[in-house]
Amino acid sequence: MKKIGFLSFGHWSPSPQSGTRSGADALLQSIDLAVAAEELGADGAYFRVHHFARQLGSPFPLLAAAGAKTKRIELGTAVIDMRYENPLYMAEDAGAADLIAGGRLQLGISRGSPEQVIDGWRYFGYVPEEGKTDADMARRHAEIFLDLLRGEGFAQPNPRPMFPNPPGLLRLEPFSAGLRERIWWGAATDATAVWAAKLGMNLQSSTLKFDESGEPLHVQQAKQIRAYRAAWKEAGHAREPRVSVSRSIFALVNDMDRAYFGGSEGEDHFGYIEPEKRAVFGRTYAAEPDVLIEQLKEDQAIAEADTLLLTVPNQLGVDYNAHVIEAILKHVAPAMGWR
């Protein structure tokens, strides 16, 4: 059995060829797709966060709205760039959205990827400490956020408050119990996966990873997942961790599928998303269901993970993306033993 969800970047463009032509379209269609995915029996609706881009930039209003419109499906991010985040305000937003959703948030956070502007986090008022990098700053913000989600009081109350206080030090409100165990770290390296395990975060591994061996993405990810689980066990956490991988997977079941994705390249690519950091980019899986099933059986990282996130081409519209999800649930998942 495997949890299956979708991952949307929420791209929008005013182009007449786009089915998502504005920021409003991207947000409202994201909610509609979460509702449709729940009706189809999918397990998760996840959204990518990019700033200064025609994509989904502020996740918590979206998560709260989707939480109010759905009943069962998990609602998450993959991922929130912690270089941009005020951990205290984020803890309040996350707590509120999780309570609205009835405890269904699954928040993926990370150091983030290259953004649309140079050092965009500086415009948000964040600068790394002397001798530290932006990655160090992101991890520090994450650590503060995780501590706040424990719900322990830390702020000295005013002796003459406007409203009565409970006894002792005060915590941020609203507090949502259990959210601390539903935080994921998007790890691009084996080392950050191990770090996430030590802190008790679940693991998200994307469609790209920094190249550490020259091997295919799925092989490197499988090794990363095994290293993460070993570190988790060594840390002595009481619960079992969750692990997700993201994939572009399209079952070609009609002529529209073949027109859109029939010519997709079925190979990994190596390149650079940051200077001097070679990355491996995962292939697109696109084939008739019987062929697709055999291809997916060879993906070691999918086999290792308990959660699979299907990256969706959101600008093709809600109906088509619901079809993409349904095709995997109907034609692929049962044969793979995921359902």
Side-chain angles (χ1 to χ4, degrees):
M1 302 294 290
K2 199 179 297 290
K3 289 185 179 292
I4 302 173
F6 73 82
L7 171 60
S8 173
F9 280 46
H11 292 288
W12 64 271
S13 167
S15 166
Q17 284 72 46
S18 173
T20 310
R21 299 184 184 180
S22 68
D25 285 347
L27 290 163
L28 295 172
Q29 290 175 17
S30 294
I31 297 167
D32 289 344
L33 186 56
V35 171
E38 179 174 79
E39 292 173 350
L40 291 169
D43 302 296
Y46 286 73
F47 304 99
R48 183 67 168 91
V49 180
H50 277 294
H51 300 288
F52 299 101
R54 290 177 171 179
Q55 296 178 39
L56 300 171
S58 53
F60 292 109
L62 171 58
L63 294 171
K69 287 279 191 176
T70 56
K71 299 296 184 185
R72 178 194 56 82
I73 196 168
E74 294 180 343
L75 302 164
T77 52
V79 289
I80 297 172
D81 187 334
M82 293 303 290
R83 295 175 296 182
Y84 288 79
E85 293 297 323
N86 177 325
L88 285 86
Y89 199 77
M90 183 178 177
E92 291 184 342
D93 278 351
D98 195 43
L99 291 172
I100 290 170
R104 289 182 284 132
L105 257 59
Q106 302 285 343
L107 293 181
I109 63 177
S110 83
R111 189 219 70 170
S113 60
E115 294 289 304
Q116 299 299 104
V117 299
I118 298 170
D119 295 348
W121 28 269
R122 292 181 182 272
Y123 296 99
F124 280 55
Y126 303 114
V127 180
E129 296 177 4
E130 186 71 27
K132 302 290 187 179
T133 68
D134 61 312
D136 295 327
M137 179 175 67
R139 286 189 282 271
R140 180 57 184 153
H141 286 180
E143 290 167 348
I144 295 170
F145 178 61
L146 292 174
D147 284 342
L148 293 168
L149 293 185
R150 299 183 190 279
E152 299 172 357
F154 63 91
Q156 189 70 37
N158 188 336
R160 290 181 290 276
M162 182 177 294
F163 307 104
N165 282 323
L169 299 176
L170 301 183
R171 68 185 183 188
L172 292 173
E173 302 289 355
F175 172 71
S176 185
L179 180 56
R180 171 64 178 80
E181 295 187 351
R182 289 178 274 116
I183 306 301
W184 307 58
W185 184 261
T189 66
D190 292 357
T192 51
V194 168
W195 172 80
K198 293 177 179 178
L199 289 181
M201 287 187 280
N202 301 311
L203 176 66
Q204 288 181 337
S205 202
S206 184
T207 50
L208 68 84
K209 178 182 178 295
F210 287 130
D211 177 30
E212 297 183 85
S213 68
E215 296 170 297
L217 173 69
H218 74 101
V219 175
Q220 294 197 45
Q221 279 185 322
K223 291 181 177 179
Q224 180 193 52
I225 293 168
R226 289 191 285 268
Y228 165 81
R229 287 208 170 105
W232 183 280
K233 183 177 180 180
E234 184 178 350
H237 301 301
R239 66 179 179 89
E240 287 296 314
R242 288 183 61 183
V243 175
S244 74
V245 294
S246 303
R247 289 290 184 271
S248 299
I249 305 174
F250 301 96
L252 307 182
V253 298
N254 61 31
D255 290 341
M256 185 174 291
D257 298 330
R258 297 180 189 98
Y260 281 137
F261 301 107
S264 299
E265 295 184 20
E267 297 180 355
D268 288 349
H269 296 279
F270 292 82
Y272 292 84
I273 59 171
E274 294 184 2
E276 301 180 2
K277 285 189 176 180
R278 189 171 185 251
V280 54
F281 302 81
R283 58 176 291 184
T284 294
Y285 289 96
E288 305 292 327
D290 56 337
V291 175
L292 190 59
I293 289 163
E294 295 306 312
Q295 293 175 344
L296 294 173
K297 286 179 180 178
E298 301 299 318
D299 192 306
Q300 297 179 26
I302 291 179
E304 290 279 351
D306 59 77
T307 301
L308 173 63
L309 302 183
L310 306 170
T311 61
V312 294
N314 73 279
Q315 289 188 90
L316 295 182
V318 173
D319 290 345
Y320 184 73
N321 281 285
H323 159 74
V324 167
I325 297 166
E326 183 179 28
I328 298 300
L329 295 175
K330 180 178 179 180
H331 299 289
V332 177
M336 294 294 296
W338 302 340
R339 283 290 187 271

